[in-house]
Amino acid sequence: MKNILSIAMIAILMAACGQHLTVPTDVTMENRLPHIYPDYTEVTVPANICPMNFIVQEGETDAMARLTYPGGEYIYGDGQKVLIDEAQWQEMLDSAKGQEIKVEVFAKINGQWKGYQPFNIYVAEDSIDEYISYRAIQPSYVAYERLSIVQRNLTTFDAHDIYNNMSVSNEKVGQCINCHSYKNFKTDNMLFHMRQGYGGTMLVTNGQLKKIDLKTAETLSAGVYPAWHPTHNLIAFSTNKTGQSFHTKDLNKIEVQDTESDLILYDVDKNEVSIISELEDELEVFPTWSPDGKKLYFCSAHFEYYNDSIEKSAEMIQRYQEVKYSLYSIDFNPDTKEFSNVQMVYDAASDSINQSVTLPRVSPDGRYLLFAQAEFGCFHVWHADADIYMMDLQTKEVQKLDAVNSNRSESYPTWSSNGRWIMVDSRRDDGNYTRPYIAYFDKQGKAHKPFLLPQQDPNFYTFYLRSFNRPEFMIEPVTISPREFAAKAKEDAIPAKYADR
Amino acid sequence: MRKYLKYIYIFVFITVAYLLLPVMNADYLYTIQDNNVFINGHTFMMETVQYEGGWLTWVARYLTQFFYYPWLGSTILILFWVAIYWMTIWMFDIKGKWSFLALILPMLLLYHLLDYGYWIYYAKIPGIPFRLTLTTIFCLLFTWGVLLLTRRFNFSWKVKGLIACSLLMLILVIGNWLWPTSLWRYNDRFRHSILTTLTDKNFKHELRMYRALDEFRFEDVVKEMPQEGEEAPTNLMVLYKNIALMHTGQMDKMFETGNCGIKPEVSDSLHIRISLLGAPLIYYMFGQINYSYRWAMENSVQYGLSFRSLKMMIRTALFNQEFEVAAKYIAMLKSSTFHRQWALEHEAWMMNSTNFYQSQDYLTIAPLLENEENRLDGDDGLCEQFLLEYFSDLSHANTPLMEDVTLCMSLWAKDYYAFCVHFYDYVHSNPNRPIPPLYQEGAILLGNAEESPITLDGFRFDDLVANKYNSFVQDYNQLQQQGVDEQEMGRRLKPLYGNTYWWYYYFYNDFNIY
């Protein structure tokens, strides 16, 4: 009996071992790279990123990949998918830091194995912030409701809601959630804004959650695009009167336009709002601080309404292609909270450039400034011609980041806390859904080919009908639960006071 | 006899349920299914179950897809209700004539399903038919388990009943606390819409017309219009009917076939909007591809993704040649159980453009695309108004179909300046084509109006039309001299002139856009 059991056990073990993958010997080589999704060929990845699972798109076939690293090799294959074991991947990253992992892909087509040109995944010495957060939203127009702010651990595949809008919505009451923002990549000081329904700004200061109403009689709106001051309890916001209109044929489909916009400063400790800039004929928006907190960058478009017979919004729709934003800065004294000396940083709207700049972000070392640029307007996520550009703040030289861009929309550029990684929102996959692409930015100031945020199931993006809107790096997770946010959302907002500057 | 009563009760209930569901309300159930979505696969499952009550939603969505065949979905649902009936009988040890009490829950669930009416478009939580049923079964199973555990105490049926009722109440309270967002909130009230579901003929017409239009069965769309003397059609029905006429070359028959729509009267505070009820398909049928996509997306965001929206997003992406995003939606739909074949057919269009150019979709819609130039605009959620204004304002109509559309839409909108422009264009570009009676009616009316923007010199109208107009004017003046009020005048003139543009122009003043 014992012998029978032993034989059975050995048979089971052998069967299990039989599933161990080996690279086929009879292979016809193709003189090209394999078609894989996401495209991880020749990308540079952080030393702590989660496994780069991918799917082989060489027809509906069996496929496998051999990953060779300085310490050895592993082979993976699961139908068309290449799903990498997390522990083995970490072993590969540790071993290949500063070097590369070679990937050879094989696909069985009509019973015959084919091999493709190998490619490398370069492993940087630098790690990446452990978390990102993004607004998960369908690429919608005016409707809102089914949206949430999600935090994703980049070293694993864990993703959780920070706040889910459906937790406080019903058939009668709904609200939209807007930009989320963190102070110095940490989450003990953070915010996101909600409008309509249970509207208000959900503000976390030193771990304490409050709901504030930033709209005052003297300001255009509540705070919209936020920027936390890096050293003081201050937040710069834009205030916007925003409208949307829709193309009947253009594949950009939608224009989001500000008929008016200004900049305000919110003093968290005093719960006071004051005006930074509200120039007539200027549409100021997208504030962002320099790392030392002594300069506020922002975008502004000069736009004069000259048709009194129609509403501003109607005129804006008629002249939407004339709205072009340039990049400015204004000096700030954090101690006196005084602004002074507005300067043109990049005259994108000038005749010679004739473009529109949005969403500036300064690198943590203060040397570089990223922004999104397109032909006109402020909402480049819907502009297929939008690309990421970078200004060297020392030389004032502006360059298009060709390695990062595609022939579709790129927007929302942002830096990791160590300045070695750039994340952008890109619609390169299908033109409609934004996905977070992460690119290595080396010490020489060169951006490398970006990679799509890896998912456990490489088919994830095919079946996921939401955009990753406004992705932001975080060095720690948000610990306030979605339920706490929801409970606070239902409370009345504390009105902010207005202070004359 | 008494011991068979419980079988008789359930037999009667099953019969009534079948009559009320697949026999009388198959289109209602099909539409509920169409407004639902279930995609086989890990991403969809994880996306669904991550929320409170997510597993319940996932199962309810899975089961709801079986209403693609209303009898099949109904059978599954009725089986659940039969199970609830027997569980209640066993739990409370109900005997004989009192067995009907065990039907209370299944009857409430049946009522609840039929109580949605127009709410089937607005309900934000998916899986309508099965959510509450599954919740009820879960509660009963839990209560039953507790009763089994306490069996050794040999309680009387009164004590058992008290325990069961207390537990059910407790579950409701705890459930409300545990799953506040999704389990109870949207299902815990009656919507007072059962009369809409059961007796509102227009509601049923709209459901059938949508499906017929979606499947290009234009004749069936027109057949759904009520006959003379029946209840007035809704604006949505008029829109659907006119689309069907447009695509069968009969748009100039729009006033002969009833063009005076009303806004549906609903029994509660529901704000009915055509944009939600059918805008993606309506825009698509008018060749407004971007706006069709837009409303499919808007409705998905507001009320959840549906098979209906997914299909419209595929069609519009194919027209816009956005093949990558089309492939994405097709991949999703291919992973469904009952819509897979539809997805495969449309995938073939994507793979081979010849298939697409030979498709009924392309052949039907393409003539409306040819002279469209991009415009930045908006509809403020009022699809009908946008279409009327858009086509009335269109400066050039260079296909026969567009000529008809621009003329008819300007008449429909009573925009006589636009009509005049289109009328002159029409006459000049079709010198040898007889002018259809409707356009003659419009031209005669406007040509005879005070401060007329149109001159009739050089036009020759059919005697029949001209004489009928003279007769209409004579009758109108006669009634006016008699002091008959406008409403009564319209009623009296309707039998003679109700199918003319003149009657529409003068007496249809209740154009309630919604």
Side-chain angles (χ1 to χ4, degrees):
Chain A
M1 185 64 187
K2 274 186 178 176
N3 286 343
I4 294 170
L5 279 175
S6 304
I7 290 167
M9 288 293 289
I10 290 167
I12 291 167
L13 282 171
M14 284 179 71
C17 291
Q19 290 169 3
H20 183 73
L21 292 171
T22 53
V23 169
T25 49
D26 186 15
V27 175
T28 309
M29 289 305 294
E30 293 276 313
N31 191 25
R32 63 173 172 84
L33 287 169
H35 295 126
I36 63 168
Y37 180 82
D39 178 9
Y40 290 148
T41 60
E42 307 297 319
V43 295
T44 303
V45 301
N48 59 338
I49 193 75
C50 62
M52 311 281 285
N53 295 339
F54 60 87
I55 188 162
V56 179
Q57 295 181 318
E58 296 288 348
E60 290 187 9
T61 178
D62 282 340
M64 65 174 73
R66 174 164 58 193
L67 277 66
T68 307
Y69 65 106
E73 66 175 39
Y74 286 111
I75 301 167
Y76 303 98
D78 184 355
Q80 289 175 263
K81 295 175 185 174
V82 173
L83 307 174
I84 304 167
D85 177 82
E86 287 192 52
Q88 290 172 352
W89 174 253
Q90 195 52 55
E91 178 191 330
M92 285 189 262
L93 290 180
D94 291 343
S95 170
K97 201 181 275 189
Q99 300 178 62
E100 67 276 334
I101 298 168
K102 180 180 160 193
V103 183
E104 297 163 275
V105 171
F106 306 91
K108 195 176 186 180
I109 296 166
N110 298 327
Q112 171 65 45
W113 282 99
K114 286 190 175 178
Y116 301 88
Q117 277 181 8
F119 61 87
N120 291 321
I121 294 176
Y122 301 99
V123 183
E125 298 272 7
D126 304 282
S127 60
I128 197 166
D129 295 329
E130 204 168 333
Y131 291 89
I132 63 165
S133 62
Y134 52 89
R135 189 167 62 144
I137 179 173
Q138 294 192 51
S140 61
Y141 300 75
V142 292
Y144 43 80
E145 208 78 328
R146 284 166 201 280
L147 41 94
S148 50
I149 302 175
V150 179
Q151 57 185 352
R152 162 72 196 269
N153 188 325
L154 295 182
T155 66
T156 68
F157 296 108
D158 290 342
H160 298 286
D161 281 350
I162 293 173
Y163 167 74
N164 188 321
N165 207 34
M166 289 305 287
S167 60
V168 294
S169 293
N170 60 38
E171 286 139 348
K172 300 283 183 193
V173 180
Q175 55 283 311
C176 186
I177 44 178
N178 302 128
C179 299
H180 48 285
S181 177
Y182 308 92
K183 183 176 181 180
N184 295 330
F185 304 94
K186 294 179 84 235
T187 60
D188 53 351
N189 290 286
M190 62 164 286
L191 66 87
F192 63 88
H193 181 67
M194 299 164 64
R195 64 181 171 84
Q196 298 183 328
Y198 297 112
T201 299
M202 306 293 282
L203 183 71
V204 179
T205 51
N206 300 320
Q208 295 300 308
L209 175 60
K210 289 183 278 191
K211 183 180 173 186
I212 310 291
D213 179 5
L214 288 171
K215 173 78 179 84
T216 68
E218 291 80 5
T219 50
L220 276 181
S221 70
V224 180
Y225 294 103
W228 281 87
H229 192 276
T231 56
H232 286 60
N233 262 348
L234 303 167
I235 309 166
F237 285 99
S238 66
T239 52
N240 309 56
K241 280 197 173 172
T242 304
Q244 296 182 19
S245 43
F246 312 99
H247 292 287
T248 55
K249 200 168 185 182
D250 193 316
L251 290 186
N252 281 342
K253 295 190 180 103
I254 179 171
E255 292 299 331
V256 179
Q257 301 148 311
D258 290 334
T259 51
E260 292 176 70
S261 61
D262 295 324
L263 296 178
I264 59 168
L265 185 73
Y266 176 60
D267 188 323
V268 176
D269 297 331
K270 293 180 178 173
N271 189 31
E272 271 181 6
V273 166
S274 58
I275 301 284
I276 299 172
S277 175
E278 55 174 357
L279 295 173
E280 201 175 343
D281 303 331
E282 286 292 326
L283 300 168
E284 306 97 328
V285 70
F286 303 127
T288 192
W289 296 99
S290 60
D292 60 7
K294 292 179 179 172
K295 211 179 261 292
L296 182 73
Y297 292 89
F298 61 96
C299 300
S300 184
H302 183 76
F303 190 85
E304 292 176 36
Y305 293 95
Y306 50 63
N307 189 344
D308 293 336
S309 63
I310 56 173
E311 287 184 9
K312 282 183 175 178
S313 57
E315 187 174 346
M316 180 60 83
I317 288 172
Q318 286 176 358
R319 296 169 57 203
Y320 71 98
Q321 290 176 319
E322 296 173 29
V323 184
K324 293 174 193 270
Y325 289 82
S326 290
L327 186 60
Y328 295 82
S329 71
I330 184 169
D331 293 342
F332 180 65
N333 183 331
D335 299 323
T336 62
K337 295 172 192 166
E338 290 298 319
F339 287 94
S340 61
N341 188 27
V342 177
Q343 287 183 304
M344 169 74 79
V345 178
Y346 175 51
D347 192 2
S350 63
D351 290 343
S352 58
I353 301 173
N354 199 24
Q355 294 278 297
S356 184
V357 161
T358 63
L359 302 159
R361 285 294 175 94
V362 185
S363 61
D365 62 3
R367 167 82 187 266
Y368 300 103
L369 192 151
L370 290 172
F371 52 84
Q373 179 175 304
E375 194 185 341
F376 57 82
C378 66
F379 215 69
H380 288 346
V381 72
W382 275 103
H383 293 151
D385 67 325
D387 281 317
I388 303 301
Y389 285 69
M390 186 178 73
M391 172 180 268
D392 184 330
L393 290 172
Q394 284 181 359
T395 64
K396 305 295 180 194
E397 186 190 335
V398 172
Q399 60 165 304
K400 185 176 176 182
L401 292 186
D402 289 328
V404 174
N405 292 314
S406 72
N407 59 356
R408 288 182 171 142
S409 163
E410 270 79 35
S411 61
Y412 290 111
T414 188
W415 298 91
S416 67
S417 64
N418 61 5
R420 292 276 75 86
W421 302 95
I422 294 169
M423 182 159 51
V424 302
D425 242 354
S426 175
R427 290 196 167 177
R428 69 189 63 188
D429 284 16
D430 55 43
N432 283 265
Y433 292 84
T434 48
R435 304 297 187 215
Y437 276 78
I438 300 169
Y440 184 54
F441 188 76
D442 65 27
K443 292 182 174 114
Q444 286 71 46
K446 183 187 164 205
H448 294 238
K449 179 181 175 181
F451 62 89
L452 177 59
L453 173 67
Q455 300 289 346
Q456 191 153 28
D457 180 357
N459 256 338
F460 172 87
Y461 291 106
T462 303
F463 292 94
Y464 190 67
L465 290 188
R466 296 196 199 199
S467 283
F468 287 63
N469 186 248
R470 197 182 165 99
E472 296 279 1
F473 283 107
M474 301 135 66
I475 58 173
E476 59 190 16
V478 174
T479 52
I480 294 172
S481 71
R483 190 171 278 228
E484 286 173 89
F485 278 119
K488 184 60 73 178
K490 290 176 185 170
E491 292 180 10
D492 290 337
I494 303 164
K497 291 169 285 184
Y498 178 76
D500 262 328
R501 181 171 288 281
Chain B
M1 181 64 186
R2 283 179 63 183
K3 71 176 179 182
Y4 293 114
L5 273 176
K6 59 187 172 192
Y7 299 105
I8 294 169
Y9 288 147
I10 193 65
F11 177 77
V12 171
F13 174 77
I14 290 170
T15 308
V16 170
Y18 263 107
L19 281 173
L20 288 174
L21 293 178
V23 176
M24 293 169 62
N25 289 294
D27 301 295
Y28 175 74
L29 298 173
Y30 179 86
T31 306
I32 287 175
Q33 170 276 148
D34 219 22
N35 284 332
N36 175 55
V37 75
F38 185 86
I39 306 297
N40 296 304
H42 182 257
T43 304
F44 179 78
M45 185 181 77
M46 295 311 294
E47 173 78 345
T48 311
V49 303
Q50 65 174 308
Y51 303 115
E52 294 161 333
W55 282 106
L56 176 70
T57 304
W58 188 76
V59 177
R61 279 182 140 164
Y62 173 77
L63 292 169
T64 300
Q65 66 176 332
F66 289 97
F67 280 109
Y68 184 83
Y69 298 110
W71 60 268
L72 178 60
S74 301
T75 303
I76 295 168
L77 188 58
I78 290 168
L79 281 175
F80 277 114
W81 291 343
V82 171
I84 288 172
Y85 174 76
W86 287 117
M87 283 166 71
T88 313
I89 283 184
W90 288 330
M91 270 173 57
F92 292 97
D93 200 15
I94 303 174
K95 290 194 174 76
K97 64 180 180 182
W98 297 106
S99 308
F100 77 90
L101 290 172
L103 280 177
I104 290 174
L105 281 175
M107 282 194 297
L108 283 174
L109 291 167
L110 172 62
Y111 180 91
H112 181 263
L113 174 56
L114 293 170
D115 193 33
Y116 274 83
Y118 279 104
W119 279 97
I120 58 173
Y121 299 98
Y122 293 81
K124 289 187 176 177
I125 293 297
I128 289 169
F130 287 95
R131 287 190 68 83
L132 209 53
T133 296
L134 291 169
T135 308
T136 306
I137 287 180
F138 165 74
C139 295
L140 286 174
L141 279 173
F142 181 78
T143 309
W144 196 15
V146 172
L147 287 177
L148 283 177
L149 288 174
T150 56
R151 193 169 46 178
R152 64 193 173 97
F153 297 113
N154 203 17
F155 290 131
S156 70
W157 68 269
K158 283 181 186 170
V159 177
K160 275 203 259 182
L162 194 66
I163 292 172
C165 288
S166 307
L167 277 170
L168 285 172
M169 292 303 294
L170 193 65
I171 292 169
L172 280 169
V173 173
I174 293 173
N176 209 27
W177 177 70
L178 277 178
W179 301 288
T181 58
S182 53
L183 190 57
W184 312 98
R185 190 199 295 167
Y186 305 108
N187 287 310
D188 61 357
R189 61 191 170 86
F190 295 112
R191 295 159 193 275
H192 315 299
S193 297
I194 193 163
L195 288 179
T196 304
T197 310
L198 294 181
T199 62
D200 187 337
K201 287 182 185 168
N202 281 348
F203 176 66
K204 290 171 187 281
H205 285 308
E206 284 178 3
L207 298 175
R208 280 195 287 273
M209 288 171 105
Y210 181 94
R211 193 169 176 189
L213 202 58
D214 186 55
E215 294 167 0
F216 293 89
R217 291 185 282 110
F218 297 127
E219 301 299 330
D220 291 343
V221 175
V222 179
K223 279 182 199 163
E224 287 293 329
M225 284 299 279
Q227 299 301 308
E228 190 61 44
E230 293 183 345
E231 189 181 351
T234 61
N235 280 16
L236 183 59
M237 289 166 66
V238 171
L239 252 173
Y240 285 155
K241 181 263 300 178
N242 288 343
I243 289 170
L245 292 176
M246 171 173 71
H247 288 302
T248 49
Q250 308 175 77
M251 204 170 184
D252 57 318
K253 305 278 188 295
M254 61 195 287
F255 295 98
E256 293 175 32
T257 47
N259 218 61
C260 304
I262 56 167
K263 186 178 178 181
E265 284 183 19
V266 287
S267 58
D268 55 17
S269 59
L270 194 58
H271 298 295
I272 299 281
R273 282 288 178 104
I274 285 176
S275 55
L276 176 59
L277 271 54
L281 184 62
I282 292 165
Y283 277 126
Y284 183 70
M285 288 291 173
F286 275 104
Q288 296 295 309
I289 302 300
N290 272 4
Y291 277 41
S292 170
Y293 180 82
R294 179 198 158 199
W295 277 105
M297 182 63 77
E298 301 271 30
N299 292 339
S300 298
V301 174
Q302 197 78 17
Y303 301 100
L305 183 66
S306 64
F307 287 126
R308 181 173 282 196
S309 296
L310 205 47
K311 284 179 173 180
M312 292 313 303
M313 291 196 280
I314 290 171
R315 287 163 142 175
T316 51
L318 289 175
F319 264 98
N320 274 340
Q321 300 192 358
E322 295 183 289
F323 296 125
E324 285 137 321
V325 78
K328 175 187 183 70
Y329 298 138
I330 287 172
M332 291 188 76
L333 203 60
K334 269 166 67 180
S335 301
S336 70
T337 306
F338 298 108
H339 297 271
R340 181 176 164 77
Q341 189 55 37
W342 192 99
L344 288 171
E345 284 166 15
H346 286 73
E347 187 176 46
W349 296 2
M350 190 174 67
M351 298 300 184
N352 184 343
S353 59
T354 308
N355 289 340
F356 177 58
Y357 293 133
Q358 290 172 348
S359 69
Q360 192 162 10
D361 282 61
Y362 184 80
L363 295 173
T364 306
I365 307 300
L368 288 160
L369 301 175
E370 286 180 11
N371 63 351
E372 186 199 347
E373 288 177 3
N374 183 58
R375 191 190 289 186
L376 189 62
D377 211 329
D379 64 5
D380 293 325
L382 298 171
C383 156
E384 188 177 13
Q385 183 168 310
F386 174 83
L387 288 167
L388 288 171
E389 289 174 2
Y390 179 87
F391 285 103
S392 297
D393 292 349
L394 216 56
S395 52
H396 297 292
N398 56 8
T399 66
L401 179 59
M402 285 300 282
E403 284 174 345
D404 285 335
V405 174
T406 50
L407 280 162
C408 289
M409 295 300 257
S410 49
L411 285 174
W412 188 355
K414 298 186 182 178
D415 184 343
Y416 46 81
Y417 283 101
F419 172 76
C420 292
V421 172
H422 298 311
F423 184 74
Y424 276 108
D425 282 350
Y426 179 85
V427 173
H428 284 127
S429 54
N430 298 281
N432 300 318
R433 188 176 159 192
I435 304 171
L438 173 63
Y439 307 155
Q440 294 187 44
E441 286 177 11
I444 290 173
L445 175 73
L446 301 175
N448 284 295
E450 288 175 23
E451 297 179 19
S452 169
I454 192 169
T455 167
L456 298 177
D457 297 344
F459 291 117
R460 291 190 62 187
F461 298 113
D462 296 349
D463 289 345
L464 201 64
V465 179
N467 293 339
K468 193 167 186 181
Y469 178 72
N470 290 334
S471 159
F472 173 76
V473 172
Q474 200 176 346
D475 292 346
Y476 183 94
N477 288 337
Q478 198 175 350
L479 289 171
Q480 202 171 33
Q481 282 162 11
Q482 289 169 8
V484 178
D485 69 40
E486 191 97 332
Q487 202 176 354
E488 177 59 19
M489 218 190 289
R491 200 185 62 77
R492 289 196 203 173
L493 292 177
K494 196 169 185 185
L496 280 173
Y497 308 103
N499 61 355
T500 65
Y501 180 64
W502 312 315
W503 192 92
Y504 171 84
Y505 186 84
Y506 280 105
F507 300 114
Y508 179 57
N509 297 316
D510 190 23
F511 200 178
N512 196 349
I513 298 269
Y514 58 95

